[in-house]
Amino acid sequence: MILSSPFTASGAHHYEMPLSLRSFTSLNRALLSSSSPSSLLLRGSSLVPTMAASSTTTVSSTDAAPQLNQSTPSPPPVQVAKRLEKFKTTIFTQMSSLAIKHNAINLGQGFPNFDGPDFVKDAAIEAIKAGKNQYARGYGVPDLNSAIASRFQKDTGLIVDPEKEVTVTSGCTEAIAATILGLVNPGDEVVLFAPFYDSYEAVLSMAGANIKCITLRPPDFAVPLEQLKSVVSANTKAIMINTPHNPTGKMFTREELEFIAQLCKENDVLVFTDEVYDKLSFEMDHISMASLPGMFYRTVTLNSLGKTFSLTGWKIGWAVAPPHLTWGVRQAHSFLTFATSTPMQFAAATALQTSDSYYEELKRDYLAKKAILVEGLEAVGFVVYPSSGTYFVVVDHTPFGFENDVAFCEHLIEEVGVVAIPTSVFYLNPEEGKNLVRFTFCKDEATLRGAVERMKHKLRKR
Amino acid sequence: MEGKVSRASRKLEASPIQELSQLAQTCGAINLAEGFPDFPAPPHLKAAALSAITADFNQYRHVQGICHLLATQMKDRHGIAVNALSDFVICCGQSEAFAASIFAIVDPGDEVLLFDPAYETYESCILLAGGIPVYVPLSPPHWSFKKDELMKYFTSRTKALVLNSPHNPTGKVFTRDELETISEACKIMECFAITDEVYEYITYDRELHISLASLPGMQERTIITSSLSKTFSVTGWRIGWACAPANIASAIRNIHVKITDSAPAPFQEAALTALQSPPDYYCSLRTEYEARRDYVVQILSVLGFQVRFKPKGSVFIFAELPDHCELSDIEFVKKLIEKAGVAAVPGCGFFHTTPQPQDGEKYQRRYIRFAFCKSGETLSAARQKMEQCVNEDGQLSF
């Protein structure tokens, strides 16, 4: 069994996960006893077991040594599935562990350090008290399906049937998984735009899809239309779009969406569109692909509660799609999680019925935060690319003289005390992202100012 | 655009059970079909959830404390020593834990053994992962299997065996002998075991749930899945877990992170309270469920059902239709809903094998599953309604 070494000079090779448990265990021990845990984590990351599925962990990564069962001398020769070869250990967890270790200000992971609105939390509390603690209907509590349909109509002008065209899932992450597993066959071609949210590639490989990747490049991350056209054919099953876009903050323009729509209609291609940041659109209006002429029939629109209402841990997401596509999504969903958290669904229905003033205030707050971060990053010396939406900003770190994004981020945590995410993990070919890192501004203003101050004082151009 | 749906999900057909479910709703039938309680969740748990929401535990989380509590329970109850730091994956319910486990270990073409009758969802996960479900029939009336028969179902392609004990739908609790047989087979064939132990605290007649992973040589090849849902009557909270050796847990975790990323945060926090419930809680749980079991066994017997196997665990009873009854299970349940206003589940949806000659041809259409995770009032009302439909022999007849 040949393992691709995590320590190859290029470091840019697509990470491989070993198949045999036996060799995994012995290599794992070797890695964990190495003297440089931080670079281990950021390089051969797929070979180190993740300690936490996501977010905050009270355990630092160096506590991670798994204990072999003492009573057996060697593990049984059983194998994990080959689909895991494409899975990289999540960078977010590693960054968070390092951040805790160095007491760094975390502008890496995309969740707020402030909480959601009281009226939504109160609704969840009422639901729990009122006994709404048992299985909800698999595809969603009726009140929530209706609220989603109403909101969708307000946002897009489209009238959808909450019973047949809305499916509630455990977060948008699950909506993405259910959409791909429910609608994509092994061997199907699916177009992805890099950089992309890391679950897209992983789930597409679980489905056995053949990924065709188009890279969006700075400074404006515009869609290279001719290149896209050359890649889409009658063999294409679907195109995945994320707008507003994580990590770049790009928002797909009407022209881009119309171009894509035209290709889809000509070649009978589906669109899966992840719009979780739709309410965080600042520089232009958010446009849903489903609202373009002829596109509802072939589009699955994905969204969630978490980003809009600062309740990322509630895991309430949804897919809106015509009945024939909804059917596939619901099938996969019913076997992935079966049903979604009941009390939170009731609260989500309340949340989605709130007036537009909530969204206006949300935008104002985030714009103020964005200004603090962007001005700060520019003053420090980064090349800051314009971000039209989301609560992310990508910057070019090369003025500071590091060879790649991972090295820069390590330095930023260890010497400056600030966390950013190296964007190379969001590309099929990590080389393409090595000049960029992502900062988030979904933090309170004091935190943002604190981070900017640290960078101003300690980050030096080389 | 029918062709747009994936082949894997197209294999998963909408079941006749869903239609009956709609009929039950239309008729306002008393629901003894679905396995969730109609009595409230424990107050101490709800309070913990409310505190968590108020105290702002609302962002993505992994609550490590859950793993420590579970590790302690496994050591105390089953003598299994696991590493709380590396061996657990907290998921959105046992449903997701199971799905993630299957995706972590099943490659296209791999065979996975299941005991029949079986909860429907297992097969669907296996198919979605490109695996091949292989069913080992349990023979009525006591749902047993023969040692030498079991080995015949293993092939060089067998990747895993799924064990649900206490068992849905029969209420069987696999004995130590049976577990030994299963474990020998898994070791000889060098395959995984995935267990579904959601009813682990709901056993009767002093029967104890034995975790397959506690048998010699099994821990290193077993993925344990379970959840809060049935033990704490919070099926809607979606807090479950997988426990496996670190390398396997890592693979499961990688999948889980891509499927949902995190179980609901405030309920993870409340899980800490749940998992620190005093021994009294588990005693009352068992006692109360046993009383319900006894009640339902009695009324069904009086109504003419053949209860040749009293459930030893779970919240279900798998009752055979009265001898004289010529209806199939689906037809019977339809009548039960329409005429008696009580809903149950026809057993055919749980069977996947061709009946063996010694078991008779028809048994797979002769069983009905009743859930008794319902309040006393509900069960009593169901009895009264069914009593309206008896013949002169006092037996349920349509």
Side-chain angles (χ1 to χ4, degrees):
Chain A
M1 159 57 44
I2 297 169
L3 296 165
S4 109
S5 165
F7 303 110
T8 50
S10 70
H13 187 60
H14 157 83
Y15 307 138
E16 285 186 6
M17 180 82 124
L19 291 186
S20 157
L21 264 193
R22 213 181 279 145
S23 49
F24 175 96
T25 309
S26 52
L27 181 63
N28 195 17
R29 282 167 138 184
L31 287 176
L32 287 167
S33 62
S34 152
S35 55
S36 175
S38 57
S39 58
L40 268 184
L41 289 171
L42 299 173
R43 281 273 168 224
S45 56
S46 60
L47 298 169
V48 177
T50 46
M51 284 306 103
S54 62
S55 77
T56 55
T57 169
T58 54
V59 177
S60 99
S61 52
T62 49
D63 294 339
Q67 304 300 321
L68 268 189
N69 185 340
Q70 298 300 324
S71 63
T72 37
S74 65
V78 284
Q79 298 180 358
V80 295
K82 294 184 177 64
R83 61 177 61 83
L84 282 149
E85 285 174 30
K86 293 269 167 61
F87 279 52
K88 303 160 194 165
T89 305
T90 175
I91 195 72
F92 306 108
T93 317
Q94 289 147 19
M95 285 292 161
S96 288
S97 305
L98 221 54
I100 289 167
K101 204 167 160 208
H102 291 273
N103 219 13
I105 297 177
N106 197 333
L107 300 192
Q109 210 155 355
F111 59 81
N113 66 348
F114 47 85
D115 208 38
D118 283 340
F119 79 96
V120 182
K121 297 196 308 189
D122 289 343
I125 288 171
E126 284 317 303
I128 292 169
K129 284 185 182 164
K132 310 235 192 284
N133 300 306
Q134 307 309 328
Y135 288 130
R137 187 177 66 174
Y139 58 93
V141 160
D143 280 355
L144 179 54
N145 288 53
S146 297
I148 291 168
S150 298
R151 189 67 237 176
F152 191 72
Q153 186 182 351
K154 277 202 195 124
D155 291 336
T156 65
L158 293 166
I159 298 178
V160 298
D161 182 339
E163 296 303 295
K164 300 200 178 112
E165 296 177 315
V166 176
T167 304
V168 177
T169 56
S170 291
C172 190
T173 304
E174 198 217 330
I176 293 164
T179 298
I180 292 173
L181 292 170
L183 299 176
V184 174
N185 285 312
D188 279 353
E189 284 181 18
V190 176
V191 176
L192 261 195
F193 294 99
F196 44 73
Y197 176 61
D198 61 346
S199 84
Y200 304 163
E201 187 205 350
V203 182
L204 283 169
S205 15
M206 275 168 72
N210 185 353
I211 297 174
K212 301 274 186 210
C213 195
I214 305 268
T215 303
L216 305 177
R217 300 182 193 281
D220 58 1
F221 302 101
V223 177
L225 300 176
E226 289 314 304
Q227 192 192 350
L228 177 62
K229 190 168 178 178
S230 72
V231 147
V232 175
S233 71
N235 288 333
T236 310
K237 179 63 172 278
I239 299 179
M240 286 203 66
I241 294 175
N242 173 213
T243 180
H245 183 247
N246 172 11
T248 65
K250 168 204 172 44
M251 291 178 64
F252 281 62
T253 63
R254 185 166 289 282
E255 292 68 35
E256 287 171 330
L257 292 173
E258 282 172 350
F259 187 89
I260 295 169
Q262 188 56 27
L263 287 176
C264 288
K265 286 185 277 197
E266 280 165 7
N267 294 281
D268 193 19
V269 176
L270 300 179
V271 176
F272 305 153
T273 158
D274 172 357
E275 305 186 358
V276 287
Y277 299 102
D278 67 340
K279 300 297 180 287
L280 296 177
S281 52
F282 304 118
E283 309 303 327
M284 56 177 269
D285 285 339
H286 170 75
I287 305 166
S288 279
M289 178 61 100
S291 65
L292 268 61
M295 288 308 289
F296 178 73
Y297 184 61
R298 55 180 71 254
T299 304
V300 182
T301 307
L302 307 161
N303 211 326
S304 80
L305 189 77
K307 315 300 199 258
T308 311
F309 289 92
S310 310
L311 294 163
T312 58
W314 281 20
K315 310 305 294 167
I316 300 291
W318 55 86
V320 179
H324 61 283
L325 298 181
T326 290
W327 195 84
V329 175
R330 283 184 185 178
Q331 289 298 310
H333 159 65
S334 64
F335 308 113
L336 288 175
T337 62
F338 182 65
T340 308
S341 151
T342 312
M344 284 22 184
Q345 287 195 58
F346 282 93
T350 300
L352 289 175
Q353 284 154 19
T354 191
S355 70
D356 286 347
S357 62
Y358 172 82
Y359 302 104
E360 283 153 23
E361 200 184 318
L362 183 77
K363 268 198 209 178
R364 273 199 303 272
D365 286 347
Y366 270 118
L367 272 168
K369 294 178 198 305
K370 182 176 173 182
I372 296 170
L373 181 66
V374 169
E375 282 158 21
L377 293 172
E378 282 171 346
V380 168
F382 289 99
V383 174
V384 180
Y385 294 112
S387 159
S388 308
T390 77
Y391 41 48
F392 302 114
V393 160
V394 290
V395 304
D396 186 324
H397 65 80
T398 52
F400 301 99
F402 288 87
E403 71 175 278
N404 60 45
D405 54 338
V406 172
F408 175 77
C409 284
E410 282 179 301
H411 172 83
L412 196 65
I413 294 177
E414 290 165 356
E415 304 304 327
V416 181
V418 174
V419 188
I421 292 288
T423 58
S424 54
V425 291
F426 298 125
Y427 292 79
L428 275 191
N429 176 1
E431 276 293 299
E432 291 185 329
K434 68 177 186 176
N435 292 343
L436 302 175
V437 298
R438 184 195 81 177
F439 286 94
T440 178
F441 51 91
C442 56
K443 308 289 173 188
D444 64 67
E445 294 190 7
T447 302
L448 295 168
R449 288 186 208 283
V452 166
E453 281 312 298
R454 285 190 184 184
M455 288 190 278
K456 278 181 178 163
H457 285 124
K458 298 192 194 168
L459 191 54
R460 295 276 167 264
K461 290 187 187 180
R462 291 192 184 171
Chain B
M1 270 221 261
E2 282 297 302
K4 289 302 177 187
V5 174
S6 76
R7 276 196 288 278
S9 80
R10 237 187 295 158
K11 284 188 227 180
L12 317 166
E13 282 142 12
S15 60
I17 286 164
Q18 283 168 348
E19 285 153 24
L20 287 173
S21 178
Q22 265 152 15
L23 181 64
Q25 270 199 328
T26 320
C27 297
I30 296 181
N31 191 339
L32 300 190
E34 286 154 320
F36 57 82
D38 64 356
F39 46 81
H44 70 294
L45 234 71
K46 289 199 288 193
L50 300 187
S51 297
I53 292 172
T54 311
D56 296 347
F57 286 109
N58 297 307
Q59 309 309 325
Y60 295 125
R61 286 176 73 75
H62 161 80
V63 175
Q64 181 58 31
I66 294 176
C67 309
H68 288 283
L69 291 168
L70 289 173
T72 307
Q73 282 187 357
M74 284 186 183
K75 191 88 212 323
D76 293 345
R77 290 174 70 223
H78 302 295
I80 303 170
V82 297
N83 184 330
L85 296 178
S86 61
D87 296 359
F88 287 92
V89 186
I90 301 169
C91 297
C92 293
Q94 182 272 345
S95 301
E96 198 219 334
F98 185 83
S101 300
I102 290 284
F103 274 105
I105 64 168
V106 173
D107 277 312
D110 281 350
E111 290 173 8
V112 179
L113 260 52
L114 299 150
F115 288 102
D116 206 45
Y119 177 57
E120 307 169 305
T121 304
Y122 305 142
E123 172 176 282
S124 312
C125 288
I126 294 165
L127 290 174
L128 216 52
I132 300 167
V134 174
Y135 286 96
V136 179
L138 297 172
S139 293
H142 297 119
W143 312 110
S144 54
F145 64 96
K146 292 211 180 75
K147 212 179 231 187
D148 42 1
E149 289 294 314
L150 178 63
M151 279 308 294
K152 292 183 187 167
Y153 292 91
F154 285 82
T155 71
S156 59
R157 297 250 43 168
T158 306
K159 194 61 167 289
L161 175 149
V162 173
L163 179 68
N164 171 218
S165 180
H167 186 245
N168 172 9
T170 65
K172 170 187 175 64
V173 172
F174 284 69
T175 63
R176 183 166 289 281
D177 263 353
E178 287 171 325
L179 295 178
E180 276 169 8
T181 304
I182 292 168
S183 70
E184 285 315 304
C186 288
K187 286 187 288 192
I188 292 167
M189 300 307 295
E190 292 181 351
C191 68
F192 285 104
I194 306 179
T195 66
D196 173 359
E197 301 181 31
V198 291
Y199 301 103
E200 54 184 315
Y201 286 102
I202 302 175
T203 55
Y204 311 117
D205 305 327
R206 296 167 186 275
E207 190 85 26
L208 277 184
H209 165 67
I210 303 168
S211 198
L212 182 65
S214 65
L215 271 67
M218 287 308 288
Q219 190 177 348
E220 66 248 34
R221 63 181 72 254
T222 304
I223 301 170
I224 299 171
T225 69
S226 193
S227 77
L228 289 188
S229 296
K230 310 298 197 284
T231 310
F232 295 97
S233 309
V234 285
T235 57
W237 283 16
R238 320 314 291 139
I239 300 292
W241 51 85
C243 178
N247 338 60
I248 310 290
S250 174
I252 298 171
R253 193 177 299 113
N254 281 344
I255 304 272
H256 154 70
V257 165
K258 307 308 182 193
I259 297 182
T260 66
D261 192 30
S262 163
F267 298 136
Q268 285 193 56
E269 202 57 31
L272 295 174
T273 300
L275 294 171
Q276 292 176 85
S277 294
D280 281 354
Y281 174 82
Y282 299 97
C283 281
S284 317
L285 182 77
R286 192 174 299 127
T287 315
E288 283 164 20
Y289 266 121
E290 189 157 333
R292 290 181 174 92
R293 178 206 62 169
D294 291 344
Y295 183 71
V296 173
V297 165
Q298 199 220 356
I299 56 181
L300 291 180
S301 305
V302 162
L303 288 167
F305 286 92
Q306 303 180 71
V307 184
R308 287 187 280 170
F309 179 78
K310 217 162 124 172
K312 295 289 192 188
S314 89
V315 302
F316 302 112
I317 176 166
F318 210 42
E320 199 181 342
L321 290 174
D323 229 351
H324 67 263
C325 181
E326 284 172 3
L327 299 174
S328 73
D329 53 352
I330 293 183
E331 290 162 350
F332 189 91
V333 168
K334 197 152 183 274
K335 293 275 187 233
L336 192 66
I337 294 171
E338 286 168 345
K339 303 264 194 288
V342 174
V345 181
C348 59
F350 297 100
F351 290 106
H352 305 82
T353 53
T354 315
Q356 302 180 97
Q358 68 268 25
D359 295 332
E361 281 185 1
K362 295 203 190 141
Y363 79 89
Q364 295 183 359
R365 304 306 309 265
R366 306 261 323 144
Y367 282 86
I368 312 268
R369 188 195 77 175
F370 288 88
F372 50 85
C373 45
K374 308 291 171 184
S375 70
E377 292 78 30
T378 305
L379 295 177
S380 184
R383 173 179 62 89
Q384 282 165 22
K385 289 197 140 190
M386 287 192 284
E387 279 172 353
Q388 305 294 320
C389 301
V390 300
N391 59 18
E392 59 272 358
D393 294 323
Q395 300 205 331
L396 202 51
S397 186
F398 301 116

